Amino acid sequence: MLLKRLTEASGVSGNEKEVRDLIMSSLEGYVDEIKTDRIGNLIVHKKGSNPSGKRLMIAAHMDEVGLLVKDIDSSGLLKFMPVGGIDKRVLVSKAVTIGEKKLPGVIGAKPIHLQKRDEWSKVLDIDDLYIDIGATSKEEAERQVSIGDYVAFDTPYSEMGNGTIKAKSLDDRVGCSILIDILKSDIDADIYGAFTVMEEVGLVGAGPAAYQIKPHMAIVLEGTLCYEIDELDSHQMPTMLGKGPAISLIDRTTVYDRSLREQVVKIAQENKIPYQFRKTSMGGNDSGRIHISGTGCATTGISVPTRYIHSPLSLISKSDYDNTYRLVEAIIREFEKGAI
């Protein structure tokens, strides 16, 4: 399954090559043009019907949050720094892989038995954690690991419950997977696909990608935060699992084009596709750079709700994945007719 292969690939921000190569091989024979720019974005063009002459860009970012080795101590333990926004409370005892050879390791800390009582109530700082690769000395560790090596979480893809997928890096391999599905479909529309780099460290790749494509309209595909518990009122829940794709209103980087959003909602309703609104302004995505590139571009953010985002594992609903694909496909068909 493509989503399994995408999520299990390593692609911490700035180190997206494994993901990029997988996407390129998946799209071979399905697109007319494919290139990698100097910053590492993968940009593809599927030629098709385009009565309006407008350029449609669909973007999804390849990178994931992770870690970077910054030091090796005398006992062979690795010290690290985060890459992207990671909640340090969830790091202890997590399995990871280091470097191109995917050396296995475990994030460790002082055992609770040896902690002082006042330490029990404190969140361990990154500097209190380390990665254990089973080495017994700095020299032994240095034969396997180098300063600057990327560290990815080691979470196998699996399915659980009633149509729920568990994996790492669903933000945003879920968007990449849907975009690949779209590009491989029989939709006869002119589409520029942008698989961007380094979204998690400041939307780095999206601006250069949009500069090259010069889109009139863009769809940003994401895995977005999902949190629904009984103690919260419905307006405090950003998205809910199983309720359909989330359409963005506003976030940290974009106030989304109202006219385009209303058209997207109408398309969902006409096609009987369940949808919800992303009811938070926290976070951001590649739209923050795309919509201000060149002379400007109307964007819409369409996301798959994702529980436990920016952690070693996340959950999505298969029905949300399928309905997000349906909505994007329906939008493209309207674009193809020149209705948007």
Side-chain angles (χ1 to χ4, degrees), residues 192-214:
Y192 289 88
F195 299 90
T196 63
V197 297
M198 293 181 278
E199 189 266 2
E200 298 292 4
V201 291
L203 319 182
V204 175
Y211 179 84
Q212 297 169 76
I213 295 171
K214 298 178 174 61

Side-chain angles (χ1 to χ4, degrees), residues 150-162:
Y150 283 91
V151 180
F153 297 115
D154 187 11
T155 307
Y157 173 102
S158 65
E159 298 183 11
M160 53 185 275
N162 184 20

Side-chain angles (χ1 to χ4, degrees), residues 68-224:
L68 189 74
V69 176
K70 68 175 183 179
D71 195 22
I72 303 173
D73 73 13
S74 59
S75 59
L77 299 174
L78 315 181
K79 303 300 289 186
F80 60 87
M81 64 182 82
V83 180
I86 300 177
D87 185 349
K88 58 190 177 185
R89 295 174 300 175
V90 304
L91 291 177
V92 177
S93 300
K94 298 302 186 294
V96 295
T97 60
I98 304 106
E100 293 183 5
K101 296 181 179 179
K102 298 191 176 182
L103 182 73
V106 176
I107 299 175
K110 183 196 298 184
I112 193 169
H113 311 74
L114 303 181
Q115 295 176 19
K116 297 178 181 178
R117 188 169 295 274
D118 65 342
E119 292 180 281
W120 294 359
S121 60
K122 297 178 181 178
V123 176
L124 293 171
D125 192 75
I126 292 289
D127 288 338
D128 298 321
L129 306 176
Y130 51 81
I131 297 172
D132 191 336
I133 59 170
T136 57
S137 68
K138 182 174 184 175
E139 293 72 25
E140 182 184 351
E142 286 178 332
R143 288 195 288 270
Q144 306 174 76
V145 179
S146 299
I147 304 299
D149 277 352
Y150 283 91
V151 180
F153 297 115
D154 187 11
T155 307
Y157 173 102
S158 65
E159 298 183 11
M160 53 185 275
N162 184 20
T164 301
I165 291 170
K166 174 176 72 71
K168 74 168 182 66
S169 64
L170 286 166
D171 173 19
D172 182 32
R173 305 293 159 67
V174 65
C176 293
S177 182
I178 291 171
L179 178 48
I180 292 168
D181 289 345
I182 289 289
L183 292 166
K184 293 172 73 171
S185 73
D186 62 357
I187 299 173
D188 181 27
D190 206 66
I191 301 170
Y192 289 88
F195 299 90
T196 63
V197 297
M198 293 181 278
E199 189 266 2
E200 298 292 4
V201 291
L203 319 182
V204 175
Y211 179 84
Q212 297 169 76
I213 295 171
K214 298 178 174 61
H216 296 86
M217 171 182 154
I219 301 171
V220 178
L221 296 175
E222 265 285 10
T224 197

Side-chain angles (χ1 to χ4, degrees), residues 170-172 174 200 222-228 232 236-241 244-248 250-252 276-285 302-310 314-316 320:
L170 286 166
D171 173 19
D172 182 32
V174 65
E200 298 292 4
E222 265 285 10
T224 197
L225 65 161
C226 174
Y227 187 61
E228 68 283 59
L232 290 179
Q236 295 177 298
M237 300 177 185
T239 67
M240 300 177 69
L241 215 66
I247 302 169
S248 290
I250 181 175
D251 60 34
R252 181 173 51 82
Q276 57 187 305
F277 291 113
R278 184 183 184 274
K279 294 182 286 187
T280 180
S281 61
M282 299 299 292
N285 61 44
I302 301 177
S303 304
V304 178
T306 308
R307 286 182 185 159
Y308 320 123
I309 204 165
H310 283 210
S314 300
L315 302 179
I316 64 167
D320 288 339

